[in-house]
């Protein structure tokens, strides 16, 4: 009798798992990347974790975003009475918005397809300055300098990434998958510039400004390998 009750309970348990193996409307999940059995955040086109909201049982919205900021600087004395200073600053703002539609579900597998729209903005600036600190060695006057500021074209791009994916639901709340996609990216024309300023014998000189223009570009980047993912639903 005990064996019979235990077998019934086990049958009910496994049946409930099979019947409720896919998340439904209202479910949310975070999707991350997996490379060489190591977890990483490279799941969205912004290089971050991908967030999904299940609008219906078979339709979901996808979102990701990232803000990157980097700055660095060095200074050194050249041994000839001049101080050399270099600095750089860059930042980027990336976002991703997409939709995902379930094409088919069978056993624990789910096949889906959709597209992501990913706008981005990038800015970069570098500065180089040479300043006279010891006029006895370097000549001229202390405080004389030559400085170059380079601002790269501020690029705004929009990428369109259609994809098709396959997920295997180990449980209703966890899935391992693979996603194939390709990218079509358009970069708008942008203008940068280079500014040269200097002081000679204590007298400031006129600044020279040189524009730097980048034209529009359109690129297509097919994906030869699948992005391996893990998804946690809640």
């Amino acid at each position: 009798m005990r064996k019979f009750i235990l077998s019934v309970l086990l049958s009910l348990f496994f049946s409930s798992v099979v019947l409720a193996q896919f998340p439904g409307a209202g479910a949310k999940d975070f999707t991350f990347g997996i490379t060489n059995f190591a977890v990483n955040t490279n799941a969205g086109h912004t290089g971050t974790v991908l967030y999904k909201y299940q609008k219906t049982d078979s339709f979901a919205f996808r979102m990701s975003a990232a803000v990157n900021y980097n700055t660095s600087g060095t200074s050194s004395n050249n041994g000839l009475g001049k101080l050399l200073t270099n600095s750089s600053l860059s930042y980027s703002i990336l976002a991703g918005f997409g939709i995902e539609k379930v094409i088919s579900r069978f056993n624990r597998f789910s096949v889906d397809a959709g597209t992501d729209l990913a706008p981005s903005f990038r800015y970069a600036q570098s500065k180089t300055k040479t300043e006279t600190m010891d006029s006895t060695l370097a000549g001229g006057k202390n405080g004389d300098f030559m400085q170059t500021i380079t601002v790269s074209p501020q690029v705004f791009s929009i990428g369109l990434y259609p994809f098709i994916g396959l997920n295997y639901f180990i449980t209703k709340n966890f899935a391992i998958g693979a996603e194939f996609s390709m990218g079509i990216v358009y970069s708008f024309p942008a203008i940068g510039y280079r500014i040269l300023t200097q002081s000679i014998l204590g007298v400031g000189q006129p600044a020279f400004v040189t524009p730097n223009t980048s034209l529009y570009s359109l690129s297509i980047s097919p994906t030869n390998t699948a992005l391996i993912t893990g998804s946690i639903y809640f």
Side-chain angles (χ1 to χ4, degrees):
M1 184 66 179
R2 290 181 180 178
K3 291 182 178 180
F4 173 76
I5 294 175
L6 181 60
S7 63
V8 170
L9 290 175
L10 289 174
S11 298
L12 290 173
F13 172 76
F14 285 112
S15 297
S16 64
V17 169
V18 171
L19 292 174
Q21 59 186 323
F22 299 114
K28 308 171 185 68
D29 89 82
F30 287 107
T31 298
F32 50 87
I34 301 175
T35 304
N36 296 327
F37 301 101
V39 174
N40 59 66
T41 60
N42 190 21
H45 295 290
T46 58
T48 58
V49 170
L50 184 64
Y51 171 78
K52 300 180 187 179
Y53 172 70
Q54 203 80 26
K55 180 66 174 177
T56 68
D57 290 347
S58 61
F59 182 83
F61 294 108
R62 299 156 52 104
M63 291 161 276
S64 64
V67 176
N68 302 309
Y69 181 87
N70 295 287
T71 182
S72 63
T74 61
S75 62
S76 62
N77 194 312
N78 67 354
L80 299 174
K82 291 188 177 183
L83 179 68
L84 308 179
T85 304
N86 295 283
S87 63
S88 64
L89 179 149
S90 65
Y91 64 84
S92 60
I93 302 172
L94 307 95
F97 309 94
I99 56 174
E100 181 176 300
K101 174 70 175 176
V102 174
I103 299 174
S104 175
R105 284 175 170 170
F106 53 95
N107 296 331
R108 292 179 178 270
F109 291 95
S110 177
V111 180
D112 48 65
T115 187
D116 290 321
L117 184 68
S120 65
F121 176 80
R122 304 176 189 275
Y123 174 88
Q125 173 187 297
S126 62
K127 180 167 65 175
T128 302
K129 183 177 182 180
T130 303
E131 183 177 0
T132 299
M133 306 299 292
D134 187 343
S135 59
T136 304
L137 294 174
K141 294 184 65 175
N142 288 345
D144 285 355
F145 69 90
M146 177 179 290
Q147 177 176 273
T148 301
I149 298 176
T150 302
V151 177
S152 300
Q154 303 173 28
V155 177
F156 177 69
S157 302
I158 293 181
L160 186 66
Y161 299 88
F163 66 86
I164 184 168
L166 174 68
N167 283 288
Y168 177 77
F169 283 82
I170 299 174
T171 69
K172 183 178 179 180
N173 301 101
F174 183 72
I176 297 293
E179 190 171 287
F180 293 88
S181 70
M182 63 175 294
I184 305 171
V185 181
Y186 177 81
S187 297
F188 291 85
I191 298 177
Y193 54 86
R194 180 182 181 186
I195 304 175
L196 173 64
T197 57
Q198 57 184 331
S199 174
I200 301 175
L201 297 176
V203 179
Q205 304 298 308
F208 292 92
V209 180
T210 305
N212 178 20
T213 303
S214 66
L215 302 176
Y216 74 90
S217 66
L218 180 65
S219 61
I220 300 177
S221 55
T223 301
N224 298 321
T225 58
L227 172 65
I228 306 302
T229 62
S231 298
I232 300 175
Y233 290 82
F234 56 95

